[in-house]
Amino acid sequence: MKLFLHGFFCLLSIHSFGQMRELALDFSCKEKSQGFQSVKVIDTRSQNQFLGTVQNGAFNTSTEIVCMGLTDSLAAYFTGSTLNTPLVITLNEFFVNELRGSTSEIGRFRLAARFFTANAPDQYNELITIDTIYTTKGGDVTKKLLRSVSEQFCVLAQQVTSLARQKTLSDTATYSYQDLLTLDSLEKMKLPMYRDNQPKAGIYRNFRQFVMNEPEPAVELTIEERKNMTLVYALNEKRKKKVKLLPEGLFAVSDGTILLRATGLGFYKMVKKGSDFYYWRPRQSYSSSVPVPLMGMGYGAVGGLIAGAMQAASKEDNRWLLQKVNHRRGNSVPVSWVNGKPK
């Protein structure tokens, strides 16, 4: 069963028990933005990136979201006839999911995007960065959650057009359109972990230590692969014995060759593909406290990111989720499903 978003208006279609119900994104905002004459969306997400799941039907079946024409649909919220300066949006994350509790459900819409406009030909400056989680609660939050996507983009359209009319851009970094197409790569080249060929041996307690490739003073680490888990041991120099290392409170560990992501469910091997770090973990569900959405001006991702607690799925579900590390914030971005534990 899948939830389809398709066409220019990115329709939402829920297939349940042989019946189909379509819910279109709502472009009739209460306060219509005057909009930009030219809007381009640069999708920086991984190809065919997973967009999330909702719970559907009487048995709350996990229903995957698929989208065709997402970027055109999002651009429509900002398109108008008033502002003749071009708008460029870089879409970094777009993810929707639900968690069913004992008496209620929590829905989350995670959005990370950056907005740029030009005050001279091919000279773009950043207006605003969005990096946040919008949360909804209720007995059955599916409709409310999907509706919140439209509501948040209506609000963003008002804010972005207002900033474009008011903000002085001369004090911010200037980019060409070609720069914006490769902005992620340009930023990663400034980060030692992304630039270096090999991680240093040691314990990375936080994301900053990770991106700077500066682990705590190296201890001798031993990594052991078991059937369903990876165990890490650190040498206790005083006792001259190995002590099992727990993942809580850590971001990653490395023995100088193997790099492991530390999560609430254990350690998982992390690999670099292209210019990004990826890892696989068992199928999971997400929960979170209610975050406070924050918006930041200028360079850098500013947001109300709240890491969700992870819960393992049933033993019968052998799917693994490929996740990418966000090079700006360190949060995990779901990419795609894999059947069976990756080798």
Side-chain angles (χ1 to χ4, degrees), residues 95 97 99 108 133 261-266 268 279 281-288 305-313 321 323 331-334:
F95 186 75
N97 73 298
L99 175 71
R108 303 196 313 168
I133 301 172
R261 177 73 168 93
T263 77
L265 293 178
Y268 298 99
Y279 67 99
R281 63 182 300 160
R283 185 180 185 270
Q284 59 208 227
S285 57
Y286 297 77
S287 66
S288 74
L305 172 63
I306 294 184
M310 306 300 179
Q311 298 178 341
L321 184 61
Q323 301 203 100
N331 61 293
S332 298
V333 182

Side-chain angles (χ1 to χ4, degrees), residues 193 198-206 210 215 221-226 229-233 245-247 250-263 266-272 277-280 325 341:
M193 179 60 86
Q198 196 71 31
K200 295 178 181 178
I203 298 173
Y204 302 87
R205 292 197 178 274
N206 53 57
F210 174 77
L221 297 179
T222 302
I223 298 173
E224 296 183 5
E225 293 287 347
R226 299 289 176 87
M229 66 181 65
T230 300
L231 300 179
V232 181
Y233 295 91
L245 192 65
L246 299 179
L250 307 180
F251 185 86
V253 299
S254 176
D255 63 359
T257 301
I258 299 174
L259 183 63
L260 300 176
R261 177 73 168 93
T263 77
F267 292 100
Y268 298 99
K269 187 176 181 179
M270 189 156 41
V271 296
K272 188 177 182 183
F277 287 92
Y278 296 86
Y279 67 99
W280 291 264
V325 176
K341 183 178 179 180

Side-chain angles (χ1 to χ4, degrees), residues 15-228:
H15 298 261
S16 178
F17 303 104
Q19 297 180 353
M20 184 175 70
R21 177 161 56 102
E22 293 191 350
L23 301 172
L25 288 177
D26 187 0
F27 293 87
S28 58
C29 302
K30 293 180 180 179
E31 297 184 20
K32 182 61 179 176
S33 169
Q34 294 178 329
F36 299 80
Q37 293 180 14
S38 171
V39 180
K40 295 181 180 180
V41 179
I42 300 172
D43 193 349
T44 69
R45 300 170 307 134
S46 300
Q47 187 177 9
N48 299 321
Q49 186 162 311
F50 182 53
L51 294 180
T53 59
V54 294
Q55 296 176 8
N56 185 43
F59 298 99
N60 287 307
T61 303
S62 180
T63 306
E64 186 177 340
I65 296 175
V66 179
C67 180
M68 292 177 288
L70 175 63
T71 55
D72 286 339
S73 298
L74 299 185
Y77 283 99
F78 303 88
T79 303
S81 59
T82 301
L83 300 175
N84 58 14
T85 177
L87 177 71
V88 176
I89 305 169
T90 59
L91 180 63
N92 306 120
E93 295 182 45
F94 185 103
F95 186 75
V96 177
N97 73 298
E98 298 179 25
L99 175 71
R100 184 184 179 189
S102 57
T103 58
S104 63
E105 295 178 352
I106 297 176
R108 303 196 313 168
F109 167 42
R110 173 161 180 78
L111 176 66
R114 301 170 72 176
F115 298 80
F116 302 83
T117 191
N119 57 3
D122 201 32
Q123 294 183 16
Y124 290 88
N125 301 85
E126 189 165 8
L127 284 172
I128 187 174
T129 291
I130 305 298
D131 190 350
T132 193
I133 301 172
Y134 304 99
T135 301
T136 56
K137 290 185 177 182
D140 185 351
V141 300
T142 301
K143 289 183 179 179
K144 187 177 180 181
L145 173 61
L146 297 178
R147 188 168 59 246
S148 73
V149 176
S150 297
E151 293 171 349
Q152 296 302 337
F153 273 98
C154 284
V155 172
L156 279 175
Q158 287 290 324
Q159 293 172 334
V160 171
T161 53
S162 176
L163 283 171
R165 288 193 296 265
Q166 299 173 17
K167 190 173 182 182
T168 301
L169 301 174
S170 59
D171 294 333
T172 61
T174 299
Y175 305 93
S176 68
Y177 182 73
Q178 188 63 37
D179 289 336
L180 297 182
L181 290 173
T182 58
L183 187 55
D184 279 8
S185 297
L186 293 174
E187 292 177 347
K188 290 169 189 174
M189 288 303 296
K190 300 176 182 178
L191 303 174
M193 179 60 86
Y194 285 81
R195 189 178 62 235
D196 296 347
N197 293 324
Q198 196 71 31
K200 295 178 181 178
I203 298 173
Y204 302 87
R205 292 197 178 274
N206 53 57
F207 179 61
R208 184 189 177 282
Q209 290 181 349
F210 174 77
V211 294
M212 298 306 294
N213 201 7
E214 294 179 349
E216 293 189 351
V219 295
E220 184 178 334
L221 297 179
T222 302
I223 298 173
E224 296 183 5
E225 293 287 347
R226 299 289 176 87
K227 183 178 181 181
N228 294 315

